[in-house]
Amino acid sequence: MSIASGLPSPIRRVLQEGELVLEAPFTRRIFTNRDLAFDQISVIGFDMDYTLALYRQDELEALSIRCTLDKLIARGYPEALRDMQADPAFAIRGLVVDKTYGNIIKMDRHGYVGRAYHGKNLLPKPTRKALYRAQRLGTERERFAPVDTLFALPEVTMYAEVVDRIDQRPDLWPSGPPTYAQAWNDVRECIDQAHQDGSLKDLIQADLPRYFQLDLELGPTLHKFRSAGKRLFLLTNSLLPYTESVLGYVLGGQMSAYATWRDYFDWIIVGARKPEFFTGNQPFQELDATANPLGRPIGEPRRGRIYNGGNQLGLQASLGVHPDEVLYVGDHIYGDIVRSKKSSGWRTALVVEDLEHELGIRRDRQIPLKEIEQLSSLRISLADELSAQRYLSRLLARMTPDDLVRQGVAPEAAESLLADTRIQVRRRFDRLRKYEEEMATTLERRIADVDEAFNPYWGSVFAARRDSSRFGAQVESYACIYTSRVTNFRYVSPTRYFHSPHGSMPHWHSSAK
């Protein structure tokens, strides 16, 4: 509920026009995993890519695939790969690549594989189960590669297409196709090269409007933080020339009080090399506005300057506050959130761009989602009842008329009583099983319909098998708060206390009997 609700409408309009109180759209909410007193946060840090600067994902993926194809073909991959029709909807965050078998899998929080594709072909359930019976998959680094960032999605899409060519057209490689593992390594290395040699970023910088969303709320959101007395810093792996271009586009000219994007930040750290930034001791190299080094590297950055590299301990010392008074906002589970939380003690906010789509689908599919929840609960009850009836049938099968006679039943009635009881129990079991099968069919159909709305290949990013997905569990475990974009904070009071819905153990839900 808004703090302005209940006030006279003229006063409410004045507050909203002055942007003192704004109503948050449904899909722009902020969610809490661990209590966080925003009023106690005095410093807020930001990543840049997919945090302050949001890419147009379809355009970026198409460009990444094009650049990667050039490098793959230069390595000896067939020219025919250029004919691939890559589907940008295929890859989502939270997947895991099985390099040994050329499979792409989605797991729940317990490591159970509920869906798997070989290339872009869905594996039948028996095949999937035969391959992935073991729990806690994905820990063998040589075999499994996690996909946790939006930057990584093009390589998954590319890899699926390459696997299909290896299977269907091995003749395209005169000396024989690569192994699935080698194909993955080649795709990964080629994408890395495209990022490192500047070929990808040069094309992005040449047409910024094509590759970036322009969110006109970004400047006002950062200004709101500063007006509330919070100091801001930028901490990005991107180098200064790229950072200058991107933030100049997404922030430049938004507010007259800020001559350039740099004026929003008290500290600017580029080329940070996260996650090593949080564990290493690399010094800070001061840069001028054209990225030229100034003086010798130092151990602690000074406010109002631009630095390359550095480390968390040095930055923390410069901030001059306790670690739990710092909130770091990023999009990368491991590079931004896990390392910053484990190594620094900073509070964490995860930007999950997928959340807006997720919330929109959940709003539009409220009725089938509620039906799924009710049917799932009923199915559990039915399974318990069927188990009880199955056990009862086994007990009755072992029982003899003599057992009843010893209980006082007349000998001439014991056999018919036992036979009638067995028939009744069997009929009840068959009736329950038929109902359970019909309900299971309805449940699976509803789940398939809703999954199709989330993503036609994988369903929800956050859920798997009616439980949290691997990615969803990571969000729960490592992010204090999470939301779809930085500008959602514009709708939140700078003094808000974020309360988490504290969890409870399963036995706490049962009432005394």
Side-chain angles (χ1 to χ4, degrees), residues 501-512:
H502 294 290
S504 59
M505 298 184 70
H507 67 274
W508 294 350
H509 297 290
S510 59
S511 58

Side-chain angles (χ1 to χ4, degrees), residues 210-235:
R210 180 174 181 176
Y211 296 106
F212 286 97
Q213 305 175 38
L214 198 57
D215 188 341
L216 297 180
E217 293 182 314
L218 184 57
T221 301
L222 299 181
H223 175 69
K224 181 177 181 178
F225 289 142
R226 296 180 64 88
S227 297
K230 302 182 190 299
R231 294 172 293 159
L232 310 183
F233 67 86
L234 175 72
L235 179 64

Side-chain angles (χ1 to χ4, degrees), residues 185-310:
N185 292 336
D186 288 341
V187 170
R188 281 287 306 113
E189 289 173 10
C190 287
I191 282 191
D192 281 348
Q193 287 174 11
H195 282 281
Q196 293 166 4
D197 66 14
S199 57
L200 185 66
K201 289 185 175 179
D202 287 347
L203 292 170
I204 292 173
Q205 288 177 263
D207 195 356
L208 292 169
R210 180 174 181 176
Y211 296 106
F212 286 97
Q213 305 175 38
L214 198 57
D215 188 341
L216 297 180
E217 293 182 314
L218 184 57
T221 301
L222 299 181
H223 175 69
K224 181 177 181 178
F225 289 142
R226 296 180 64 88
S227 297
K230 302 182 190 299
R231 294 172 293 159
L232 310 183
F233 67 86
L234 175 72
L235 179 64
T236 176
N237 285 353
S238 291
L239 299 178
L240 184 57
Y242 187 70
T243 302
E244 183 75 47
S245 294
V246 173
L247 291 185
Y249 174 70
V250 301
L251 268 175
Q254 284 205 3
M255 300 194 71
S256 59
Y258 299 88
T260 74
W261 67 268
R262 295 187 293 274
D263 296 319
Y264 286 94
F265 302 99
D266 297 276
W267 294 267
I268 297 173
I269 314 295
V270 299
R273 298 174 62 188
K274 295 174 293 180
E276 287 82 2
F277 179 88
F278 297 106
T279 56
N281 58 2
Q282 180 185 9
F284 294 85
Q285 174 63 64
E286 187 177 351
L287 305 175
D288 66 15
T290 58
N292 292 313
L294 294 174
R296 300 176 63 182
I298 60 176
E300 185 177 319
R302 290 190 287 272
R303 192 172 174 179
R305 313 284 181 90
I306 303 173
Y307 294 90
N308 189 82

Side-chain angles (χ1 to χ4, degrees), residues 50 57 92-94 146-156 331-336 471:
Y50 286 111
Q57 188 64 23
I92 63 172
R93 284 206 278 193
V147 180
D148 297 314
T149 69
L150 293 176
F151 261 138
L153 301 191
E155 59 204 51
V156 177
D331 75 294
H332 194 315
I333 283 283
Y334 288 107
D336 293 326
F471 179 75

Side-chain angles (χ1 to χ4, degrees), residues 45 48 53 73 129 150 165 194 208 336 367 393:
M48 183 181 76
I73 291 169
K129 284 201 163 188
L150 293 176
R165 300 313 187 278
L208 292 169
D336 293 326
I367 292 177
S393 294

Side-chain angles (χ1 to χ4, degrees), residues 41-60:
I41 297 296
S42 55
V43 180
I44 305 177
F46 299 91
D47 183 30
M48 183 181 76
D49 296 295
Y50 286 111
T51 301
L52 293 174
L54 300 180
Y55 288 86
R56 300 185 188 277
Q57 188 64 23
D58 288 359
E59 292 287 353
L60 181 63

